[in-house]
Amino acid sequence: MQKILSIIESIAHEKNISVDNAMEAFKEALSNTAKRLVGEEGTYEVEIDPDEQSYHIYKVLTVVPDNDPRLEEDPDSYIPMEEAVEYDPDIEPGDQIRSEIHLEEYGRTAAANLFQELEYHIQRRIEQDLFEKYKSRVGSIIIGTVSRVDDAGNTYVEIGELSGILSQRNRIKGESFKTGDTLKALLRFVTIDPKYGMYLELTRTSPKFLEELMKREVPEIQDGAVEIVSAARIPGERAKVALKSDRPDIDPIGAAVGQRGVRINAVSAELCGENIDCIEYSAIPEIFITRALSPAIVQSVRIENNNTADQKAIVDITADQKAKAIGKSGINIRLASMLTKYQIELNEVEGVTERAPEAGKNQEKTKDLSALENLFK
């Protein structure tokens, strides 16, 4: 028992927890051991002196008047004045008497109980440290190795000291994994289950996963020059991302797409070929909704209930653009609604929308140089 503090420090290094946490676990183990041996209802204090490599356990009794009802309710925590004066003639009600307990006097029983308590509390500290470590990483990308896939389609991933679970509903439709595969997913939350212990719940279907992948691929997003305002996706099919930049020298869409689409294609490949539309954000709802409905060209947008949770936008659109606005199986309008947080209602109007001719295509070149000459006057 004289070397116990040195042993606690060794345990702290072995289990990769702080010495302070190990000492707190030791104090709880000492207190609980004393309760088992002396009395469960008592009040105990533990003092540790790291300089002298010693510890002391005290049972604390509070002095109360002789007729105090607490003496009957909790006799292990209170002592009557009549008995207390035998320890100190100057003692008064409210003072405390501390009597030291020596575990060595209880022999092997004390050692066995202390070992069990210490093992339990050290394990709790390890779990608490792991919980805090991974809790701070919630919302970030985790990389691990697939250990097994069960019959229900749940994928189990080894991530450092813990195991992660990618359930079938959090997996992109059509993708599959096998043992030994390296898997990249978003940490959704940390769970402590009484049956399975602590594990990490992973997802590959969250819009946040798309955002984190883009941060990794686009340096301008990583350093804050380009901001992802919002993202919406139907996993494995299509996604829309709203981007903005406060710097006039940076094109947020060009930065996200990359030269010849290399950046956005890398993100799409990780998401099983998901088609990703990058849209420039606007603080003006009408403009933002117009861009979100791309590739459809709309005639006008009217906002209703702008100050309520049930925000609604009425979009006037010609018949030839309506199918584009809705998209296959309604995917385009659903994504636009999720991206802008507006309930979008299409209102068909008469007419045909004509796209502006592309620059330089089927256009006659002017030979009039008067405008150019005026620049140099």
Side-chain angles (χ1 to χ4, degrees):
M1 297 294 281
Q2 293 175 351
K3 298 179 180 179
I4 188 69
L5 293 185
S6 298
I7 295 172
I8 297 302
E9 291 182 6
S10 299
I11 290 174
H13 294 301
E14 181 186 341
K15 300 295 185 180
N16 197 27
I17 61 174
S18 68
V19 175
D20 289 341
N21 270 352
M23 286 299 177
E24 286 299 318
F26 180 50
K27 288 173 71 174
E28 287 187 43
L30 287 172
S31 178
N32 288 349
T33 301
K35 286 182 179 181
R36 285 189 180 187
L37 299 174
V38 181
E40 290 284 347
E41 302 301 325
T43 302
Y44 300 88
E45 290 183 0
V46 177
E47 293 180 357
I48 294 178
D49 189 340
D51 296 327
E52 295 185 3
Q53 290 286 296
S54 62
Y55 68 91
H56 303 278
I57 309 171
Y58 299 97
K59 183 173 183 179
V60 181
L61 298 171
T62 303
V63 180
V64 294
D66 295 337
N67 58 351
D68 195 298
R70 287 176 291 181
L71 290 169
E72 295 184 4
E73 295 171 1
D74 190 1
D76 289 324
S77 298
Y78 299 95
I79 183 172
M81 188 71 181
E82 183 181 10
E83 294 181 22
V85 293
E86 296 178 5
Y87 294 93
D88 183 357
D90 299 325
I91 205 163
E92 296 179 358
D95 292 343
Q96 291 183 332
I97 294 175
R98 303 203 307 169
S99 58
E100 188 168 359
I101 298 169
H102 300 281
L103 294 183
E104 291 86 347
E105 297 176 359
Y106 294 88
R108 291 188 176 182
T109 303
N113 284 327
L114 180 59
F115 175 78
Q116 291 177 1
E117 287 288 339
L118 185 57
E119 188 177 43
Y120 173 81
H121 288 290
I122 287 289
Q123 187 60 35
R124 296 291 78 76
R125 290 300 190 283
I126 293 171
E127 290 178 358
Q128 185 63 33
D129 282 1
L130 283 174
F131 182 81
E132 294 299 330
K133 173 185 174 181
Y134 284 99
K135 184 181 176 183
S136 64
R137 297 180 64 184
V138 169
S140 63
I141 290 177
I142 296 285
I143 300 175
T145 305
V146 176
S147 58
R148 68 185 180 93
V149 180
D150 64 18
D151 295 336
N154 298 316
T155 305
Y156 294 84
V157 187
E158 293 299 325
I159 304 166
E161 310 90 336
L162 296 179
S163 177
I165 299 178
L166 180 69
S167 63
Q168 191 169 15
R169 65 186 178 87
N170 287 320
R171 200 178 65 198
I172 298 172
K173 185 179 178 181
E175 70 178 354
S176 60
F177 302 97
K178 62 182 183 296
T179 303
D181 286 350
T182 299
L183 186 145
K184 191 181 294 181
L186 186 85
L187 178 56
R188 194 175 177 194
F189 53 78
V190 186
T191 301
I192 300 178
D193 187 271
K195 184 178 180 181
Y196 300 104
M198 187 185 303
Y199 67 90
L200 311 175
E201 179 155 338
L202 309 175
T203 180
R204 285 174 54 83
T205 59
S206 168
K208 183 70 176 174
F209 182 48
L210 167 60
E211 294 179 24
E212 291 298 314
L213 286 173
M214 291 191 68
K215 283 182 184 178
R216 291 190 167 206
E217 291 293 334
V218 184
E220 291 84 352
I221 296 177
Q222 186 113 28
D223 61 24
V226 174
E227 178 187 348
I228 299 176
V229 180
S230 62
R233 57 185 293 226
I234 296 173
E237 296 186 42
R238 192 173 172 187
K240 289 180 183 283
V241 183
L243 304 156
K244 76 170 185 177
S245 176
D246 295 329
R247 290 175 52 177
D249 59 323
I250 293 180
D251 171 22
I253 308 303
V257 172
Q259 189 174 13
R260 297 182 180 178
V262 64
R263 292 175 175 175
I264 203 69
N265 287 342
V267 176
S268 177
E270 178 62 38
L271 300 176
C272 302
E274 197 167 298
N275 188 10
I276 304 168
D277 298 337
C278 294
I279 297 161
E280 187 170 2
Y281 171 77
S282 173
I284 303 171
E286 290 84 353
I287 296 177
F288 188 28
I289 292 168
T290 299
R291 292 172 179 172
L293 284 169
S294 176
I297 301 173
V298 305
Q299 299 298 308
S300 64
V301 179
R302 299 188 307 278
I303 303 297
E304 294 184 358
N305 303 326
N306 195 27
N307 297 322
T308 66
D310 186 24
Q311 299 178 118
K312 188 176 181 181
I314 308 296
V315 177
D316 290 336
I317 194 165
T318 55
D320 62 313
Q321 297 295 316
K322 190 173 182 181
K324 293 180 182 179
I326 295 172
K328 183 180 178 181
S329 303
I331 194 171
N332 194 58
I333 195 169
R334 283 164 59 200
L335 286 172
S337 182
M338 288 189 284
L339 188 73
T340 61
K341 307 295 188 295
Y342 278 86
Q343 180 186 345
I344 299 174
E345 181 179 311
L346 299 180
N347 179 41
E348 187 176 330
V349 295
E350 293 182 358
V352 176
T353 301
E354 295 182 359
R355 287 188 177 272
E358 296 180 14
K361 189 175 182 180
N362 299 327
Q363 293 184 22
E364 294 184 5
K365 295 182 179 180
T366 179
K367 296 181 180 180
D368 184 6
L369 303 179
S370 58
L372 184 61
E373 292 172 356
N374 290 336
L375 293 174
F376 298 95
K377 285 185 180 180

